[in-house]
Amino acid sequence: MTLGLALAQSRRIAPALLAQLEQAAREKKSQLIDEIVGSGTMSARDLATFAADKYQLPLLDLSQFNFATVPPALVGNREFHAHRLLPLGRRDNRLVVATSDPSNQAGLDAIRQKLNLPVDAVVVEHDKLLKHVRSAGEESSTLRAAGPVAAEHKLIEYDPVASAGAQRNKAPNDIDDAPVVRFLHKLLTEAFHRGASDLHFEPFETFYRVRFRVDGVLLEVARPPLDIRDKIATRIKVLSRLDISEKRVPQDGRMKLLIALPKEKDKDGKDSKETVEKAIDFRVSTLPTLFGEKIVMRILDSSTDKLDIDRLGYEPAQKALLLETIKRPYGMILVTGPTGSGKTVSLYTFLNLLNQGDINISTAEDPAEIQLPGINQVNVNEKAGLTFAAALRSFLRQDPDVIMVGEIRDLETADIAIKAAQTGHLVLSTLHTNDAPTTLTRLMNMGVAPFNIASSVLLITAQRLARRLCNCKRPGALARDVLLDAGFHESELDGSWQPYHPAGCERCSGSGYKGRCGIYQVMPISEAMQQIILSHGTALQIAEQARRDGVLSLREAGLLKVKQGVTSLEEVLATTNM
């Protein structure tokens, strides 16, 4: 007996109304139960209670059911979705299936024959059933859309000592074809090809999203089903050698992706069919949140082709100062700026220029983001006692010429670095300050003696990254008052240049920006500045002296990029909002 007939015989629905609902179902090519619930004739709860009583079946509330216990193979089975059935697991070698229409014997029989298992049905509310069926179907289709894992795109466990070939053999091949694995592979390769710097996997109460940071801006790229958040987290943690059972505290790890790229361009300028294998490192950070573990993956592209000082965007005068300073035999060069401002790339560009056969270079980082042959790189491991300070002490016994410290975080590290700079070594490091003048006062506030600062620091460069205008940029006038408020001088508004604005095209995905450019404040420590430091001067006094010495502020350097048409005024104002 069909559900409609059972409702009519039980006088729950009048025959005339039932005929109208059946006619509406035929016209809409839907099912009768959709029209019954959708029209408000019966609530989903009342209909489920009636069906369970009529067909003598258990009634189940899906909102109280733990779907984590359902085998993934059952969840992704499209046969269930086609018949509007929801697998709930096995019980005593029998398959338990949820349905809102127990009269749907054709669907139950199809599942029984397909899996060759006895099937037990339970009744659930129609609206809740449809919600979970759609969710399972979206998960299945989303993960299938990832396609098979290409042989040249393999995720492998991170091992800094093993060779790439050895690591490849350690890949868990038995699950390489799993839907979640394919989905994760696709996301990582897409992030690399789109030039993303970070991937964010974020679980919330009602949805799960993935975002890429491209050119400094977070963009949502996917909303996979909420049910797979734990599967994605587990897969990432396995490859990063993290504890998959620990979800209460943050964890940090690394993983690697081997990807095949075209070796070179052919005569027509197209990608060559020959490929070269490239290893892309990912720094992984997990964080327990209210609704699961948020995971952020930083892409560490260790290629050296971007370590070109001309590509960084220094002004000619700034570049000349830098090249002159890094040739000094001893002293300290500091790079400052917020996280993600390109400090590491700048430091490694300097190291790449210094990397000669007659120079001994050692670096201490947390972690080493760019691998440069010819340089002795050390990963800091504070749990094992290998701090920046401990690494620096060891470097001084290793006959170094150049030392790079990833970050000066405390007085101990600062003291050792400055002593190294005073005793015949060139020291490069970073701090997190807003601009170059405040870097000097930050060192004083940390407890470093002003005499040591004045006698060791040679140059400080502060930097920001602004989005570069795409080739589709368009010229457009700006009000004179706006330009003056931004920092332009009256003499610069002579009509010899014009500002450009973002337009948007396919190449830049409609944003109007493609890539990023550096904005720099390069401040050498002059004798007058040394006197201010020795007299415990403030950052304001140092900034005024830098202006007298002809040092461009970050805002002034950014306005030069606007005049050159490299970026927009809006971007410079947002980046150098000090």
Side-chain angles (χ1 to χ4, degrees), residues 436-448:
T438 55
T439 304
L440 295 170
T441 55
R442 169 71 183 279
L443 288 172
M444 287 189 276
N445 292 337
M446 289 174 65
V448 181

Side-chain angles (χ1 to χ4, degrees), residues 192-207:
F192 172 74
H193 288 302
R194 290 182 61 174
S197 60
D198 302 87
L199 297 87
H200 292 241
F201 297 83
E202 301 170 309
F204 297 95
E205 183 176 11
T206 59
F207 66 94

Side-chain angles (χ1 to χ4, degrees), residues 121-175:
V122 297
V123 179
V124 297
E125 295 163 62
H126 187 61
D127 52 353
K128 293 180 180 179
L129 174 75
L130 291 184
K131 176 183 176 182
H132 285 283
V133 167
R134 290 193 190 104
S135 175
E138 287 171 3
E139 174 179 344
S140 178
S141 60
T142 300
L143 300 184
R144 286 196 306 273
V149 180
E152 64 271 22
H153 297 169
K154 289 295 182 181
L155 283 170
I156 54 180
E157 293 181 26
Y158 180 76
D159 187 344
V161 178
S163 65
Q167 289 176 335
R168 184 201 302 278
N169 293 333
K170 293 167 65 177
N173 294 320
D174 56 323
I175 58 171

Side-chain angles (χ1 to χ4, degrees), residues 180-192:
V180 169
V181 175
R182 296 198 300 271
F183 180 63
L184 179 61
H185 285 199
K186 182 182 179 182
L187 283 176
L188 297 183
T189 53
E190 182 182 350
F192 172 74

Side-chain angles (χ1 to χ4, degrees), residues 203-251:
F204 297 95
E205 183 176 11
T206 59
F207 66 94
Y208 183 58
R209 73 180 177 190
V210 182
R211 296 192 290 175
F212 293 170
R213 187 176 293 278
V214 181
D215 295 335
V217 178
L218 279 171
L219 305 172
E220 184 174 321
V221 296
R223 283 208 179 192
L226 188 61
D227 295 341
I228 70 169
R229 58 187 173 184
D230 292 334
K231 300 173 188 176
I232 290 179
T234 298
R235 175 63 174 167
I236 293 174
K237 290 166 78 172
V238 165
L239 291 166
S240 306
R241 294 189 171 183
L242 301 178
D243 186 354
I244 62 174
S245 64
E246 182 56 81
K247 300 180 181 180
R248 300 166 298 175
V249 297
Q251 297 187 68

